[in-house]
Amino acid sequence: MNTKRNGYLFTLLAIVIFTIQDAVSKHLGAIYPPVVITMIRYWAFAIFVVLMAMRAKGGLKAAIRTRRPLLQLTRGVLLAAQIVTVIFSFTLVGLAHTQGILAGGPIFIALLSMVLLGERVGWRRWSAIGAGLVGVLIIINPVGTLEPAILVPLLCSAFFAFYAVATRLVSREDSAATSFFYTGIGGALVTSLVGPFFWQPLAMHDWGWMGLLCLTGMSSHFFLIKAYEYLDASEVQPISYLQVVLASIVGVTVFGETLTVNMLVGTAIVVGAGIFTIWRESVVARRAAPPAQVKATADL
């Protein structure tokens, strides 16, 4: 019971810090190029993953060892691209609107998993995917005034879905520690190649915000890693949808964003469909697992 409680506590901490991170990203993204913000953030993140790897079993040498180097680097590039576009989306579309569409992540991942991983999907998950896509359409509101800017958070979702599928692919051969290492290193490399072309010096007072962004970026991932030590993904993901609520509160109270009926209804549908999709995937995975593994999972 204490183990579960610790897992939920780490999950909530990660969600709160992610929300602070998003708010700071929106603030800085309105002043500086998103790729510059992402580059500096990745420098700090790269240091963090190297230190984590050095402390882990086998050290840095074990973390670097991979059977899929190209795919690991591709993952880093995809996540870096997602972060750049999400910062741009926060400033262009808003925190609440962006998070509402990003909540459809499990839906897009399930669709890509069918195409790229050959995963079978039954009628229950097909129904959840259909409902989730309807929810996204309600948020976008295509029958009203469709703003081209709304395509940015959709691009964010696409980047993250490809990143998640690539992560599933490399997990078949590489450890989680190795994947985490290349997430930071790959992102740092690609942003360092592109970022200097968009360089804009930060004002002295904004370095404090940048420091807070780096700190929240590292601590949020650390707490999320700790949460996964105590909980299954099917237990963590539904709670993570609280970030949509927190982002909406921050968006309205701090940045003066407006919540429309379409956003509220669409987000509720997307979140519900996402939770069902995650739950159903966990059920299917447990059925496919060997009996001994299922028993071990049940004993946790």
Side-chain angles (χ1 to χ4, degrees):
M1 193 64 177
N2 289 335
T3 299
K4 292 282 187 182
R5 184 177 61 190
N6 290 339
Y8 290 127
L9 177 60
F10 283 127
T11 304
L12 290 172
L13 279 172
I15 292 167
V16 171
I17 296 172
F18 273 128
T19 304
I20 297 171
Q21 172 186 303
D22 291 346
V24 176
S25 296
K26 177 178 172 66
H27 167 69
L28 291 174
I31 307 171
Y32 305 100
V35 67
V36 173
I37 299 168
T38 306
M39 178 180 66
I40 298 173
R41 173 180 163 182
Y42 259 108
W43 288 344
F45 188 44
I47 294 172
F48 175 67
V49 297
V50 168
L51 292 176
M52 290 284 289
M54 291 173 65
R55 293 184 58 187
K57 184 179 179 180
L60 195 58
K61 186 177 180 179
I64 294 174
R65 190 181 302 115
T66 174
R67 296 181 180 179
R68 306 291 296 272
L70 183 60
L71 189 56
Q72 286 286 13
L73 291 174
T74 300
R75 287 178 57 254
V77 172
L78 285 169
L79 187 59
Q82 194 266 350
I83 293 174
V84 171
T85 52
V86 84
I87 293 174
F88 184 52
S89 183
F90 287 155
T91 60
L92 192 65
V93 180
L95 281 175
H97 219 146
T98 299
Q99 288 294 352
I101 294 175
L102 292 181
I107 307 299
F108 298 121
I109 292 169
L111 282 172
L112 280 179
S113 296
M114 288 188 298
V115 177
L116 300 179
L117 302 182
E119 293 184 0
R120 295 180 59 187
V121 175
W123 67 269
R124 294 178 182 85
R125 278 194 285 175
W126 265 120
S127 300
I129 290 171
L133 293 177
V134 168
V136 171
L137 285 175
I138 292 174
I139 296 172
I140 295 173
N141 191 21
V143 297
T145 304
L146 182 60
E147 297 290 339
I150 204 67
L151 297 176
V152 178
L154 286 175
L155 183 61
C156 296
S157 294
F159 278 137
F160 189 77
F162 277 107
Y163 163 78
V165 171
T167 300
R168 287 186 180 182
L169 278 172
V170 296
S171 68
R172 296 173 178 177
E173 300 180 68
D174 289 344
S175 67
T178 296
S179 293
F180 186 62
F181 175 82
Y182 280 98
T183 298
I185 298 302
L189 287 175
V190 69
T191 53
S192 295
L193 290 174
V194 178
F197 293 101
F198 298 87
W199 178 256
Q200 180 179 333
L202 272 68
M204 187 62 66
H205 61 274
D206 285 329
W207 277 107
W209 289 110
M210 193 69 239
L212 179 60
L213 181 60
C214 293
L215 182 62
T216 53
M218 291 184 289
S219 58
S220 58
H221 281 91
F222 174 77
F223 287 129
L224 194 60
I225 291 169
K226 295 297 291 183
Y228 280 116
E229 288 182 8
Y230 299 105
L231 301 173
D232 293 333
S234 59
E235 295 173 304
V236 172
Q237 289 295 333
I239 304 172
S240 68
Y241 280 123
L242 286 174
Q243 188 176 350
V244 180
V245 178
L246 294 178
S248 298
I249 293 172
V250 172
V252 171
T253 58
V254 178
F255 297 103
E257 297 177 9
T258 302
L259 299 180
T260 64
V261 174
N262 286 68
M263 287 173 59
L264 294 173
V265 173
T267 300
I269 295 174
V270 169
V271 169
I275 291 174
F276 181 84
T277 301
I278 294 164
W279 171 79
R280 190 61 193 168
E281 284 183 351
S282 68
V283 170
V284 173
R286 288 180 180 179
R287 287 178 178 174
Q293 184 177 339
V294 173
K295 184 182 184 301
T297 303
D299 291 339
L300 290 177

